[in-house]
Amino acid sequence: MFGRKSLLILLLSIVFLKGWSQKAEAWADSVLNTLSEDEKIAQLIMVRLSSIDLKTRIVSFYDTTVERDILKYNIGGICLFQGAPVKQAALINKFQSIAKTPIMMAIDGENGVGMRLDSVAGLPRMMTLGALKDSSLVYQYGQWVGEQCRQLGLQINFAPVADVNNNPNNPVINDRSFGENKEKVATLAIQYMLGMKSKGIMGSAKHFPGHGDVDVDSHHALPIINKSRNQLDSLELYPFKKLFAAGIGSAMVGHLFIPSVDSTQDRASSISEKTVTDLLKKDLGFTGITFTDALEMKGVAEAFPDGQAGVESLIAGNDMLCLPGDVETVIGKIKLAILSKRITRKQIEDHARKVLLTKYEMGLSTWKPVPLENLTARLNEKTNDLKKRIAEKAITLAKYEEPSAFPIRVNKFYSIQTNVSSTALIHVGKNIQTAFASEVRRSYNADVFQIESTSDSSRAKEIYNAIQSYENVIIALHEIPRFPANNFGISPVAVNLINSIALSKPATLFVFGNAYAAKSFCNLKNIMVCYDDDPITHQVAASMLRGEVSPAGELPVSVCPLLPLASRNGFQTPTRITIKPTPSGGLQKIDSIVQDAIARKAAPGMALMVMKDGKIVHEKTYGSFTYSSINKVTQETVFDMASVTKICATTLSIMKLYDEGKLKLNQPLGNYLPWVRGSNKENILIKDILLHEAGLKAWIPFYKEIADSTTNKAMPGYFSKKEDKKYGIKVDDSLYMRTDWRDTMFNRILTSEVDGKKAYVYSDNDFIFLGEVVKALSGKSLDQYAWDNFYRPLGFGSTGFNPTRFIQKNTIAPTEQEPYFRERLVQGYVHDPGAAMFGGVSGHAGLFSNAYEIAVLMQLVLNKGEINGKRFISSSTIDLFTGYQSTISRRGLGFDKPEKDNASRNQAYPALAVSLSTFGHTGFTGTCAWADPKTKLVFVLHANRVHPEAKNTFGDLNVRGKVMDVVWNEFK
C-alpha cells in the first residue's frame, strides 16, 4: 500500500507523535513566556476570514475584524473560506506580518482549495476517489492539494474526511466520504494525508468519531447516532484508528450526539469530555492537536450560544476552537470558567503550548511571505490533468447487461452520406450545451432530446415516441444536486421516462453526479456512474462510450440490491507492451524478403506483428497502399482479413456457443438451422463442417450467375446506385444489390451437391453455414455477436465487418480493381465477391482489422481463452478446437494447422520452424495469423497482395512461410 517515500513519512510521523523535538520545545516555551493570560486563550481561537451569502452570492471578508482580532487579542488561527486566491494570499501575508505570534492558517479544502476559492478549479470529491482501485492516485491528489495550500501560505487543511458513509440519506457527508467500506476509507484517507504531508501540510482526521450514519445536517441540528460502543469500534472508529497509527497530526471532532459514549442531554461529541478526552485521547491514544468542528453550527450553538460552546469545548479537552464567534465574548466566557474553576489556567497553558509546538512543526517559526505573481495559474496548473486521470480510473460501469448498447463505435449507426442518425441522446437537465452532448453529437451525429425537472408528462411522452425509431439510446443525467433531498432533484416524470425507455430500447444511462442518484434506475441494464458533471468528466465518459478507454472504477457505496458496493463491469483495453529485440541478422532477413516481394509486385504493402510471451517483440510496416501511392502502411492500417475471418470471427463465436452448451459438435446442422431440414445438408455434423469434411462444394461463384456471359459484367436489374426496399444490400459506395438475391444465394448453397465420401475439401460454404448457426443460436448477426463478445470487451477500435461504418476509409488498404459487378477499386468493402453479395457479413470472409488487434485475438487463444484478467473461452474448449481433430487432413476445428509431416515436405506449411501445436489461418488477400503454444509466439502478417489484381506472385514466393521461419528461428 505504501511506497518508500510514503513509508518514510509514516515513520517520521510516528516519531513526531512520540514527542516534540527539542527545538520545538524551546521555541514554544520562549513564545509562551511572552503571552499574557488573554493571549494564551486567544491562541486557542481560529476565526473565519470570509463568508458568502448563499442567496446573493456576495462575499464578505471580515478583514478589518480579523485584523482587529490579531492586533488586539493575538488570535492563534485563521480559516480561509470564499474569495479570490490572490486577495486571500495577500491578506495572509499582511496578517502574518502584523501578528505578534505566527498564525496557523487553515482551509476547509476537502477537494482542494478550489472548494473555497474562486478562479481555482475544484478537484473530484471523495466519493469519486472512493471508486478508484489504485490508491496511488489519491496520494498524488494529496500532494497536489498540499502544494496548493503551500502556495497560498497555509499550514493545515481540514481533510481527509474519515467518515464511513453507510447511510444513503446522509444530508451532510454523503459524497464527501470515500464510501462505505471502512478498510478502503482508511486506506484512501491515509494516502491523502501522506500526500499532503509530503508537501509540508498537516491533515486533520474528521469528523471524529464518525459522521457517516446520520440523517440530520449538523449545520442545522444535532444528529443522533444510536449505536453501541462495539458497533462504533467495528465501523465508525476504524478509519480514525488507522489514520492515528499512520501519524496524522490533527483530528477534528464533529457535532454528534452518541448516547453510548456520552448520554448527557444536548452534549455534542465536540463538547463531550467522554468523547474528546476519554475516547479520543485516552482510549485511542491520540496525541496530536484537536480541533472542534465549526462552533457556529446549530448542532452545538443552539444549546450553547454566545461563546459558551467554546468554553465547553475546552473543558472537553479540545485544543483549538474553530469559529467560536466573537473573540472578545469567547475570551470573556473562558475567563469566567477559569474563575468558577470549571477549567484551570494550567489547562489553558497546556493547550496553548501544544498549539505553539504544532506551529513550529509546521514551519511557522521561520515564516516567509508567499509570492503572488501568477498565483491563480499556479493553483490550477496540475488540476485538469489530475482530474482526467482520476476520471479514467474512477468512472464505473456499475451494471452491464446489454453489451449491444455500450460501447458504440464511432459512426457505426448512421450513414455519413445521408447524415441520418440512428443514435438518440436523452439529456436530462437545463443546460443542454454540455461537453458530453457535444461529444455525442460529433461522434454519432446523434439527435438530442431534452427533458428538464419542470417538464410535464406530455413532453416525456413526446420523447418516448420519438426515440422508438432509433437503434441505440444514450441517457445522460446532469445537474444532480449533491445531496439526496427530493430524490436528488430528479422529477418523477424524468424517472418514469428513463425507466420506460430502458424497457423498450437498448440504452446506457450516464449518471453525472452522486452515485446514490442511480437508485431510481436500478432496473436499467447498463448504468455508468461518472460522479462529476464537468467537461473533463464528460469527455472521458464520451471516450468510454466510443470504446477508447475502459471503465475501471467500482461503486464506493451500495446504491440498491442490484447495484451493491464494489460493483464494477466493463471491457478491457489491451495493454500494448513492446520489447525491443537486440538487432540481428535474422530480422534483417525479414526486411530483405519483404522488400524483394514488394519489388516483384507480389504486394504493395505489408504489416508485421510478432508477440512473444504476450509482449510485442517485433513490429514493422513496409510499402504503401498501392504501388503508386504516397499513403504508407502503418501499424494502424486496416486490412481485409479474407479467410482469417473464419477463425477470428466465426470459429471464436462457435467456440463460445459450444462453451455455453448451446451447440454440440456431433449434432446435425438441421438441429440449428430449420431451413436446411429436408435438404441434403440436414444431417451434416457440425464437427464435419468445422473440419471441412462435410462434402460441400469449395465455393459457388454467385457473381457469375448475374453476369453477362460475353462481358462478365453484371446484367441490368441486379444492382442500383440508390438504396430502397428492392435494392437493400450495400456492396460498395453508392452500389446496392437486389435484396431478394440473398435468399437466392442461400438456396444455391442449399441445393448444391454433397460429396458423401467424407473427403477433405476446403470450403467457404462450410463457414457460411456456421455464420448462420451463430445467428440462429444467439439471435444476433455474426458481426454483432463477435463485436459484443470479443471485439468490444477487448477495447478494439479497428476490428469488425463493413469497416467504413466505424473507421475512416483512408485508413483501409485497398484490394482489387474488381472487374465484375463493382467495376472499381475495392477499398473498405470486402474483396470476396460472395461475402460482398451477402452484405459484407459472412462466416467465411468480411472481417477487417489491423495487425495488432488480430495479434491480441491470437494471444487470447494462445492464453487458453483468457487475456487481461478476463476469461472469454474455457481452456478445454481451446485445446479441443486448436488440436488436430482429423485423420485425413491437417485441420483442427475451424483452425488450420501445420502439415503433420512438415519436416519431409519440399515446402512446409505454414513454415518449417513452427511446432505441430501451432494453429492459425491464412487469407486470400495476403493475410495470416498464427500462434505456437510451444514457443509462445504469435505471428501476424498482413498484405494486400490482390492489388491491383488477384495474381499469386505472393504465394509463389512463399513470403509468409519465409518470414515465419526467420521469426521462429530468431525468437523461439
Side-chain angles (χ1 to χ4, degrees):
M1 183 173 69
F2 300 109
R4 180 180 295 178
K5 186 174 182 180
S6 300
L7 183 60
L8 176 60
I9 294 169
L10 173 61
L11 293 173
L12 289 174
S13 301
I14 293 171
V15 172
F16 167 79
L17 290 178
K18 287 182 178 179
W20 306 96
S21 68
Q22 289 183 351
K23 289 183 178 180
E25 299 265 8
W27 184 84
D29 288 339
S30 67
V31 174
L32 190 65
N33 290 334
T34 68
L35 302 179
S36 68
E37 296 304 321
D38 283 7
E39 286 178 327
K40 290 175 183 176
I41 296 173
Q43 281 295 299
L44 313 182
I45 296 175
M46 178 171 280
V47 301
R48 175 193 292 274
L49 179 56
S50 62
S51 70
I52 188 169
D53 187 308
L54 295 178
K55 292 183 179 179
T56 64
R57 309 304 296 176
I58 296 175
V59 176
S60 300
F61 274 93
Y62 310 134
D63 46 324
T64 56
T65 303
V66 172
E67 184 173 345
R68 180 206 66 192
D69 291 339
I70 294 169
L71 295 174
K72 185 175 181 179
Y73 302 109
N74 195 17
I75 55 172
I78 296 174
C79 188
L80 270 65
F81 285 90
Q82 292 76 17
V86 175
K87 180 173 182 177
Q88 294 281 39
L91 286 172
I92 289 172
N93 283 345
K94 177 183 177 181
F95 293 155
Q96 292 287 24
S97 69
I98 66 173
K100 174 183 175 181
T101 306
I103 302 168
M104 183 186 297
M105 297 292 179
I107 192 168
D108 188 14
E110 295 164 10
N111 61 310
V113 300
M115 177 178 172
R116 299 299 178 185
L117 305 184
D118 61 38
S119 308
V120 181
L123 288 162
R125 297 189 183 276
M126 302 307 102
M127 179 180 280
T128 309
L129 301 184
L132 296 169
K133 295 283 287 179
D134 181 5
S135 63
S136 67
L137 265 178
V138 182
Y139 180 81
Q140 295 170 41
Y141 181 105
Q143 284 186 308
W144 177 231
V145 174
E147 178 65 20
Q148 288 181 318
C149 291
R150 189 185 64 78
Q151 293 197 40
L152 274 168
L154 307 176
Q155 291 79 47
I156 186 166
N157 183 23
F158 291 129
V161 173
D163 303 314
V164 180
N165 197 88
N166 57 343
N167 186 339
N169 297 316
N170 193 317
V172 61
I173 302 300
N174 214 288
D175 68 353
R176 296 165 63 194
S177 166
F178 291 110
E180 69 176 77
N181 181 304
K182 64 180 183 180
E183 288 89 357
K184 191 164 190 179
V185 170
T187 297
L188 300 185
I190 288 169
Q191 292 301 300
Y192 187 179
M193 178 270 291
L194 291 173
M196 288 193 295
K197 194 170 184 64
S198 74
K199 298 296 181 177
I201 302 301
M202 179 181 285
S204 187
K206 69 180 191 184
H207 307 82
F208 185 85
H211 213 307
D213 194 5
V214 302
D215 50 20
V216 171
D217 186 345
S218 53
H219 291 83
H220 307 299
L222 183 62
I224 301 173
I225 297 180
N226 284 309
K227 288 190 173 184
S228 69
R229 175 59 192 275
N230 286 339
Q231 288 175 312
L232 293 172
D233 278 333
S234 66
L235 184 63
E236 276 80 4
L237 292 175
Y238 180 88
F240 291 97
K241 294 174 185 176
K242 294 295 184 181
L243 272 166
F244 299 159
I248 196 165
S250 75
M252 175 178 280
V253 186
H255 306 315
L256 304 160
F257 181 54
I258 309 176
S260 63
V261 178
D262 190 342
S263 60
T264 307
Q265 184 68 29
D266 295 327
R267 184 60 61 176
S269 49
S270 54
I271 60 172
S272 163
E273 186 173 1
K274 291 180 179 178
T275 302
V276 179
T277 298
D278 295 344
L279 175 57
L280 176 58
K281 296 185 176 182
K282 292 180 181 178
D283 292 358
L284 300 185
F286 182 66
T287 61
I289 188 170
T290 60
F291 296 83
T292 66
D293 204 347
L295 292 173
E296 62 190 11
M297 293 164 63
K298 291 182 179 180
V300 67
E302 281 194 340
F304 298 93
D306 303 324
Q308 189 59 39
V311 174
E312 302 300 323
S313 298
L314 288 177
I315 294 170
N318 286 295
D319 297 307
M320 286 207 80
L321 315 178
C322 288
L323 318 184
D326 179 71
V327 173
E328 185 173 3
T329 301
V330 174
I331 291 176
K333 289 287 181 72
I334 293 172
K335 290 169 73 175
L336 288 175
I338 294 172
L339 289 174
S340 63
K341 298 184 178 180
R342 295 194 67 206
I343 190 169
T344 67
R345 293 189 183 279
K346 175 67 167 57
Q347 288 173 310
I348 296 295
E349 189 167 291
D350 287 344
H351 289 306
R353 188 171 186 271
K354 181 180 276 190
V355 169
L356 292 170
L357 286 165
T358 304
K359 289 182 178 183
Y360 181 89
E361 292 293 344
M362 292 190 294
L364 281 171
S365 66
T366 55
W367 173 82
K368 293 180 181 179
V370 295
L372 304 181
E373 187 178 0
N374 298 321
L375 177 61
T376 302
R378 285 187 279 119
L379 293 174
N380 285 294
E381 184 180 12
K382 298 179 182 178
T383 296
N384 284 349
D385 176 67
L386 185 57
K387 287 175 71 172
K388 182 174 183 290
R389 289 190 289 126
I390 289 171
E392 289 175 342
K393 297 297 183 182
I395 291 178
T396 306
L397 187 53
K399 196 174 180 188
Y400 191 34
E401 296 178 358
E402 185 57 72
S404 65
F406 177 87
I408 307 172
R409 288 187 287 190
V410 175
N411 297 341
K412 182 176 181 183
F413 296 114
Y414 75 93
S415 165
I416 298 175
Q417 286 74 27
T418 61
N419 206 37
V420 174
S421 176
S422 288
T423 298
L425 170 64
I426 313 301
H427 178 99
V428 184
K430 292 182 180 178
N431 177 25
I432 200 168
Q433 302 302 323
T434 65
F436 184 73
S438 176
E439 290 279 338
V440 172
R441 283 194 188 99
R442 180 182 63 81
S443 297
Y444 307 106
N445 192 34
D447 293 328
V448 181
F449 300 85
Q450 182 184 19
I451 185 166
E452 301 182 27
S453 59
T454 56
S455 299
D456 59 19
S457 57
S458 62
R459 172 58 177 161
K461 185 176 181 180
E462 178 186 335
I463 293 173
Y464 179 84
N465 291 335
I467 60 93
Q468 295 308 310
S469 61
Y470 290 85
E471 189 167 355
N472 222 48
V473 177
I474 303 156
I475 306 168
L477 197 56
H478 293 280
E479 300 165 22
I480 303 168
R482 289 179 50 212
F483 298 105
N486 300 316
N487 192 32
F488 293 93
I490 308 168
S491 70
V493 170
V495 170
N496 290 336
L497 173 63
I498 292 170
N499 283 307
S500 298
I501 288 172
L503 285 174
S504 65
K505 305 289 294 182
T508 298
L509 172 67
F510 286 78
V511 180
F512 289 104
N514 193 312
Y516 288 122
K519 66 180 181 179
S520 298
F521 313 104
C522 290
N523 288 321
L524 269 68
K525 292 184 177 181
N526 290 353
I527 301 175
M528 181 81 89
V529 179
C530 303
Y531 304 101
D532 284 308
D533 197 5
D534 61 85
I536 290 175
T537 303
H538 294 170
Q539 289 161 4
V540 172
S543 68
M544 291 177 176
L545 179 63
R546 292 189 293 264
E548 298 165 357
V549 179
S550 303
E554 63 180 16
L555 278 184
V557 294
S558 299
V559 176
C560 61
L562 293 175
L563 295 174
L565 175 69
S567 296
R568 65 188 302 263
N569 297 277
F571 54 90
Q572 293 285 323
T573 301
T575 302
R576 187 166 182 150
I577 304 173
T578 304
I579 296 177
K580 295 298 182 184
T582 303
S584 70
L587 298 181
Q588 291 173 4
K589 288 180 183 177
I590 294 176
D591 294 346
S592 298
I593 295 167
V594 173
Q595 288 162 1
D596 175 66
I598 293 174
R600 295 169 71 170
K601 298 201 180 302
M606 301 183 211
L608 173 65
M609 176 71 63
V610 181
M611 289 186 177
K612 170 76 171 176
D613 298 320
K615 299 177 178 63
I616 298 170
V617 292
H618 188 59
E619 55 180 327
K620 195 162 185 179
T621 58
Y622 305 86
S624 305
F625 278 23
T626 69
Y627 293 108
S628 59
S629 173
I630 60 171
N631 196 354
K632 299 291 185 183
V633 173
T634 71
Q635 287 295 346
E636 304 308 317
T637 299
V638 172
F639 288 82
D640 181 337
M641 300 310 301
S643 284
V644 175
T645 302
K646 293 182 173 75
I647 62 169
C648 289
T650 313
T651 300
L652 283 177
S653 300
I654 290 291
M655 292 164 78
K656 187 162 187 64
L657 292 168
Y658 171 80
D659 232 16
E660 294 171 346
K662 297 176 181 178
L663 176 139
K664 298 185 184 302
L665 300 179
N666 290 315
Q667 291 294 312
L669 183 63
N671 282 14
Y672 304 109
L673 298 180
W675 52 275
V676 308
R677 293 170 191 168
S679 74
N680 56 0
K681 314 298 186 301
E682 177 180 3
N683 295 314
I684 296 174
L685 299 182
I686 297 296
K687 181 178 181 180
D688 290 337
I689 295 175
L690 284 162
L691 290 173
H692 295 280
E693 295 177 11
L696 301 183
K697 296 177 74 70
W699 70 299
I700 297 175
F702 302 112
Y703 66 92
K704 289 187 177 181
E705 192 171 339
I706 59 175
D708 183 281
S709 59
T710 304
T711 65
N712 282 331
K713 309 299 183 185
M715 292 186 291
Y718 287 96
F719 294 92
S720 171
K721 292 182 179 180
K722 293 184 179 180
E723 182 181 20
D724 55 28
K725 289 184 179 180
K726 182 177 180 181
Y727 296 96
I729 299 175
K730 190 174 186 180
V731 295
D732 210 310
D733 291 339
S734 303
L735 187 63
Y736 301 88
M737 190 184 75
R738 264 174 43 185
T739 306
D740 63 357
W741 192 250
R742 190 194 326 245
D743 291 337
T744 301
M745 292 191 295
F746 276 124
N747 188 58
R748 295 291 184 268
I749 299 173
L750 193 63
T751 58
S752 63
E753 296 177 357
V754 173
D755 186 344
K757 298 179 181 178
K758 290 275 188 177
Y760 167 60
V761 177
Y762 179 77
S763 171
D764 287 343
N765 293 325
D766 285 323
F767 275 74
I768 293 172
F769 275 127
L770 290 174
E772 293 303 303
V773 169
V774 171
K775 183 177 181 180
L777 290 178
S778 69
K780 298 178 180 181
S781 59
L782 174 64
D783 60 329
Q784 191 66 54
Y785 185 83
W787 168 242
D788 288 344
N789 288 280
F790 297 99
Y791 313 149
R792 184 207 328 266
L794 288 167
F796 287 175
S798 299
T799 304
F801 294 76
N802 290 318
T804 56
R805 294 185 180 182
F806 56 89
I807 57 176
Q808 294 297 315
K809 191 173 182 178
N810 60 12
T811 65
I812 307 169
T815 51
E816 188 173 16
Q817 184 71 40
E818 206 244 50
Y820 306 114
F821 56 91
R822 285 178 283 195
E823 300 183 66
R824 65 189 71 181
L825 178 66
V826 177
Q827 184 176 15
Y829 294 86
V830 61
H831 169 262
D832 181 274
M837 296 170 78
F838 277 118
V841 180
S842 183
H844 74 291
L847 185 67
F848 286 73
S849 187
N850 59 33
Y852 172 66
E853 292 182 4
I854 291 295
V856 171
L857 282 175
M858 296 304 292
Q859 187 67 48
L860 183 157
V861 184
L862 190 64
N863 290 353
K864 303 281 189 177
E866 183 178 7
I867 198 167
N868 287 343
K870 179 179 176 62
R871 178 157 293 283
F872 290 80
I873 302 171
S874 71
S875 60
S876 60
T877 297
I878 297 290
D879 290 340
L880 177 66
F881 277 70
T882 59
Y884 288 111
Q885 295 297 335
S886 174
T887 59
I888 62 173
S889 79
R890 63 174 189 259
R891 307 294 302 199
L893 295 172
F895 289 94
D896 203 354
K897 291 186 64 63
E899 294 289 357
K900 297 173 184 176
D901 58 349
N902 240 349
S904 63
R905 287 178 171 261
N906 291 330
Q907 183 170 308
Y909 179 83
L912 182 60
V914 303
S915 77
L916 294 183
S917 62
T918 300
F919 54 85
H921 218 286
T922 59
F924 184 79
T925 53
T927 57
C928 74
W930 294 93
D932 187 346
K934 183 176 180 180
T935 60
K936 305 299 182 186
L937 281 167
V938 167
F939 175 91
V940 175
L941 180 64
H942 288 172
N944 54 341
R945 71 100 182 164
V946 295
H947 179 81
E949 57 182 339
K951 57 186 178 181
N952 201 33
T953 308
F954 190 80
D956 293 339
L957 292 173
N958 189 27
V959 177
R960 287 173 287 207
K962 288 178 180 177
V963 176
M964 284 184 76
D965 275 329
V966 174
V967 167
W968 259 252
N969 289 325
E970 181 74 17
F971 292 111
K972 68 181 180 181

